């Protein structure tokens, strides 16, 4: 069952076009990775998906055409976007960041979910009342992801979750992501430089080059493909 | 000593007034990152509305009721100004926005004169003119009332910002608009709300200020705005607590300057500029402002 289906996605910043017609999809509960060199358009792709920049083409989420909708609308439909770096709201405390993550929810389980993420990320629990901006990069990244999950999204967009993290923290984080995916059935679309780690987590992948998809396939296939490895993944 | 204490009381009375306008400036700065130079003139216009509601022979409302109504009108007006005037230039450079707010300063001032005339109006105070002598110092009901109003204002603002869902949204948008949009907050509505609340606080400040001056005229708010900016700069533009403390310091410094540096005429006008200059030199974030610390 397709959750997200993207056709001929184009977009960029003002007159500068970064994406030149991308077609891809994410199934319910699936983890998909987008790989590519710097400047390939990976971040732009996620920004177009969550409505942060205007885009052309067609974005269908859960059977509804959401092309050109505002970020607020997409957040309400169940898309959570954890942007690259600095995704936390610095002047709010750790706990407030989690609560604000549940902005679109009206149910009474928010407090229980806050506790739950504090259990998953005990580092954050220790810093509950501390301002988010004063934490280390790794802690902020964990907080940004936990905040994204607070909305109980059906699709989590993760932009370079490993950026600036120590390798051991990155591995821990990816293990957590795998657990979360199995447990909550949250689909994830992950943009990542660390191709090896990302391909082991994902079921499928797309390789992006200057705004076009140049390779796609099952994660194991991409990892085994010599050309892809050499040209794009730096493996 | 008694003279000193009396001047302290005078300064306190003026200081809470500067604080209340500084609070409005800080609130807009906190939620939108803008300095609104038209804050004083917005308050001026609202005060004219209050005066009209009190003075008009048909309406003739009690002062407190008139203040309440004009705060509601200011709330709506502030929201409209954000939507119609500020939003189109929201993403322009800070300089453009400063020029826009200065333009609003001139426009609102002229519109107020065109509607309400250029003669000086009298707005009665909402407080009684009772006074008590405590330990040899004269304490007026006016001063006590002003301190009470300011304290209530601060408490309500704190509750709104720290304890409500809307307050969480306002603070989130102020700190990181992009991430706020991504969690589903309607950032535009939050900015509009920030302007609306700030305009309503300005209306309240104006109605408190004018009864202590010779009367309501087109220039009523201009000196006050400078003192309020000095208060906000001293306290830190992003700190409501700083606005209050800064306002009181400015008011007291002004009163003491008048008393003790008497031979120099209008010495009190130097006070705000000296404070702004001093703060910018020695502590640019103000007494309570947060230094923006970023990890790289």
């Amino acid at each position: 069952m397709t959750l997200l289906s993207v056709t001929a996605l184009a977009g960029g910043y003002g007159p500068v076009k970064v994406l030149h017609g991308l077609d891809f999809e994410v199934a319910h509960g699936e983890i998909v990775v987008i790989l590519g060199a710097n400047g390939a358009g990976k971040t732009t792709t996620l920004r177009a998906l969550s409505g942060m920049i205007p885009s052309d083409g067609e974005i269908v989420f859960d059977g509804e055409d959401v092309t050109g909708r505002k970020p607020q609308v997409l957040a309400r439909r169940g898309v959570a976007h954890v942007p690259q770096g600095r995704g936390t709201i610095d002047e709010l405390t750790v706990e407030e960041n989690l609560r604000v993550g549940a902005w679109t929810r009206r149910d009474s389980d928010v407090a229980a979910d806050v506790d739950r993420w504090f259990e998953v990320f005990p580092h954050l629990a220790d810093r509950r009342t501390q301002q988010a901006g004063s934490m280390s990069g790794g802690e902020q990244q964990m907080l940004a992801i936990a905040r994204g999950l607070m909305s109980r999204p059906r699709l989590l967009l993760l932009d370079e979750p490993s950026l600036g993290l120590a390798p051991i923290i990155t591995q821990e984080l990816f293990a957590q992501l795998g657990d979360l995916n199995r447990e909550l059935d949250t689909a994830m679309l992950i943009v990542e430089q660390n191709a090896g780690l990302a391909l082991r987590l994902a079921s499928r992948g797309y390789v992006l080059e200057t705004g076009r998809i140049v390779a796609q396939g099952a994660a194991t296939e991409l990892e085994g493909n010599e050309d892809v490895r050499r040209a794009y993944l730096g493996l | 000593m008694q003279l000193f204490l009396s001047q302290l009381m005078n300064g306190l009375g003026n200081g809470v007034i500067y604080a209340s306008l500084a609070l409005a400036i800080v609130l807009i700065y906190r939620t939108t990152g803008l300095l609104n130079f038209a804050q004083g003139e917005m308050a001026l216009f609202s005060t004219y509305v209050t005066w009209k509601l009190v003075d008009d022979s048909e309406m003739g409302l009690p002062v407190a009721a008139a203040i309440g109504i004009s705060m509601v009108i200011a709330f709506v007006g502030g929201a409209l100004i954000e939507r119609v005037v500020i939003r189109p230039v929201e993403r322009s450079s800070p300089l453009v926005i400063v020029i826009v707010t200065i333009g609003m300063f001139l426009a609102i001032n002229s519109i107020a004169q065109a509607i309400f005339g250029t003669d000086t109006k009298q707005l009665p105070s909402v407080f009684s003119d009772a006074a008590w002598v405590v330990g040899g110092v004269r304490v007026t009901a006016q001063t006590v009332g002003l301190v009470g109003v300011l304290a209530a204002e601060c408490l309500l603002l704190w509750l709104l910002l720290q304890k409500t869902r809307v307050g969480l949204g306002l603070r989130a948008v102020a700190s990181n608009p992009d991430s706020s949009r991504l969690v589903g907050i309607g950032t535009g509505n939050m900015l509009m709300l920030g302007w609306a609340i700030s305009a309503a606080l300005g209306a309240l400040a104006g109605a408190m200020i004018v009864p202590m001056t010779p009367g309501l005229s087109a220039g009523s708010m201009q000196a006050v705005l400078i003192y309020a900016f000095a208060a906000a700069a001293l306290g830190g533009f992003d700190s409501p607590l700083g606005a209050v403390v800064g306002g009181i310091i400015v008011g007291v410094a002004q009163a003491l300057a008048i008393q003790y540096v008497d031979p120099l005429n209008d010495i009190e006008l130097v006070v705000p500029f000296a404070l702004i200059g001093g703060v910018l030199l020695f502590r640019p974030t103000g007494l309570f402002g947060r230094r923006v610390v970023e990890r790289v």
Side-chain angles (χ1 to χ4, degrees):
Chain A
M1 238 315 252
T2 311
L3 176 65
L4 174 74
S5 159
V6 175
T7 318
L9 181 68
Y13 305 91
V16 184
K17 292 290 165 240
V18 178
L19 308 175
H20 305 282
L22 308 184
D23 302 303
F24 60 92
E25 57 182 47
V26 178
H28 278 281
E30 189 186 25
I31 300 184
V32 174
V33 62
I34 298 180
L35 303 168
N38 278 331
K42 306 188 297 289
T43 293
T44 309
T45 304
L46 294 193
R47 288 174 65 86
L49 286 179
S50 64
M52 294 295 280
I53 55 168
S55 58
D56 294 319
E58 194 186 41
I59 303 170
V60 178
F61 180 72
D62 203 24
E64 187 193 355
D65 186 348
V66 293
T67 319
R69 304 304 295 270
K70 287 183 179 167
Q72 297 93 288
V73 177
L74 280 136
R76 255 177 261 138
R77 296 286 185 279
V79 178
H81 180 172
V82 179
Q84 189 175 32
R86 296 194 24 88
T88 48
I89 298 174
D90 288 355
E91 285 182 28
L92 302 188
T93 65
V94 169
E95 187 172 342
E96 285 172 339
N97 262 277
L98 292 184
R99 277 180 21 226
V100 92
W103 186 264
T104 53
R105 287 169 55 182
R106 297 283 181 178
D107 57 289
S108 53
D109 295 340
V110 173
D113 272 19
V114 170
D115 290 339
R116 179 205 159 116
W117 298 119
F118 278 148
E119 262 172 52
V120 176
F121 300 114
H123 283 299
L124 300 182
D126 299 340
R127 299 172 183 276
R128 197 181 270 261
T129 57
Q130 191 177 323
Q131 280 201 353
S134 65
M135 297 198 304
S136 74
E139 289 162 340
Q140 288 201 29
Q141 191 64 272
M142 303 246 180
L143 177 59
I145 291 168
R147 197 198 55 221
L149 290 162
M150 278 300 295
S151 65
R152 294 193 173 170
R154 279 178 298 164
L155 176 64
L156 182 64
L157 307 176
L158 288 173
D159 197 347
E160 300 270 8
S162 74
L163 192 78
L165 299 191
I168 179 121
I169 309 270
T170 306
Q171 286 191 356
E172 191 187 317
L173 177 63
F174 273 68
Q176 295 272 15
L177 290 175
D179 289 347
L180 293 173
N181 168 257
R182 275 186 291 279
E183 199 185 324
L184 302 176
D185 213 29
T186 308
M188 299 181 188
L189 182 61
I190 305 176
V191 157
E192 185 53 66
Q193 296 267 9
N194 189 333
L197 204 55
L199 285 170
R200 278 194 288 285
L201 178 67
S203 61
R204 289 188 305 115
Y206 295 89
V207 179
L208 220 56
E209 189 189 37
T210 57
R212 290 183 179 80
I213 290 172
V214 292
Q216 55 182 294
T220 46
E221 224 174 90
L222 284 175
E223 215 183 352
N225 182 323
E226 266 312 309
D227 293 342
V228 169
R229 287 173 69 96
R230 243 199 330 272
Y232 305 109
L233 308 186
L235 292 176
Chain B
M1 185 62 195
Q2 271 185 15
L3 188 64
F4 175 76
L5 288 176
S6 307
Q7 286 302 339
L8 221 54
M9 284 311 291
N10 281 344
L12 183 66
N14 282 333
V16 292
I17 275 175
Y18 306 147
S20 60
L21 196 60
L23 215 50
I25 292 169
V26 164
L27 192 72
I28 285 195
Y29 184 79
R30 284 273 299 172
T31 47
T32 67
L34 302 178
L35 286 184
N36 178 15
F37 286 93
Q39 194 76 58
E41 303 314 289
M42 285 163 62
L44 177 78
F45 194 92
S46 306
T47 311
Y48 271 116
V49 172
T50 309
W51 166 81
K52 184 76 190 159
L53 292 170
V54 174
D55 188 71
D56 191 278
S57 52
E58 277 171 39
M59 286 177 280
L61 292 174
V63 182
I67 293 173
I69 293 172
S70 91
M71 282 177 74
V72 173
I73 295 172
F75 186 88
V76 175
L80 275 176
I81 286 177
E82 195 279 334
R83 185 130 288 195
V84 177
V85 183
I86 300 298
R87 191 158 304 185
V89 295
E90 193 186 16
R91 289 178 185 274
S92 314
S93 79
L95 208 56
V96 171
I97 299 173
V98 165
I99 300 292
V100 167
T101 68
I102 291 175
M104 272 187 349
F105 175 108
L106 298 172
I108 295 174
N109 191 290
S110 304
I111 292 169
Q113 291 185 58
I115 296 178
F116 299 104
T118 50
D119 53 321
T120 302
K121 328 273 190 221
Q122 295 304 324
L123 179 67
S125 171
V126 69
F127 306 113
S128 81
D129 46 13
W132 308 274
V133 177
V134 184
V137 178
R138 192 164 173 272
V139 180
T140 61
Q142 177 83 13
T143 303
V144 174
L146 285 172
V147 171
V149 165
L150 183 70
E153 207 177 296
C154 292
L155 181 67
L156 287 176
L157 260 188
W158 182 82
L159 287 174
L160 173 77
L161 285 174
Q162 298 296 330
K163 298 290 166 193
T164 67
R165 175 181 154 87
V166 166
L168 185 65
L170 280 168
R171 288 185 293 135
V173 170
S175 173
N176 188 335
D178 275 355
S179 283
S180 300
R181 290 164 76 198
L182 289 174
V183 297
I185 301 174
T187 49
N189 291 343
M190 290 297 154
L191 298 183
M192 204 164 76
L193 184 64
W195 275 81
I197 297 172
S198 171
L201 291 184
L204 178 62
M208 301 285 123
I209 292 163
V210 166
M212 299 177 72
T213 66
L216 176 60
S217 65
S220 281
M221 294 298 165
Q222 282 161 12
V224 178
L225 182 71
I226 291 171
Y227 290 119
F229 264 107
L234 182 61
F237 274 107
D238 58 355
S239 164
L241 173 68
V244 172
V245 176
I248 290 171
I249 293 177
V250 170
V252 169
Q254 180 198 24
L256 296 182
I258 293 175
Q259 180 64 42
Y260 294 106
V261 201
D262 189 44
L264 297 171
N265 237 348
D266 288 340
I267 181 70
E268 71 272 18
L269 290 176
V270 177
V271 169
F273 296 106
L275 281 170
I276 291 177
V279 167
L280 290 182
L281 266 179
F282 298 110
R283 199 179 158 86
T285 53
L287 294 176
F288 296 88
R290 238 193 317 272
R291 194 179 294 271
V292 179
V293 181
E294 254 175 56
R295 282 181 167 268
V296 283

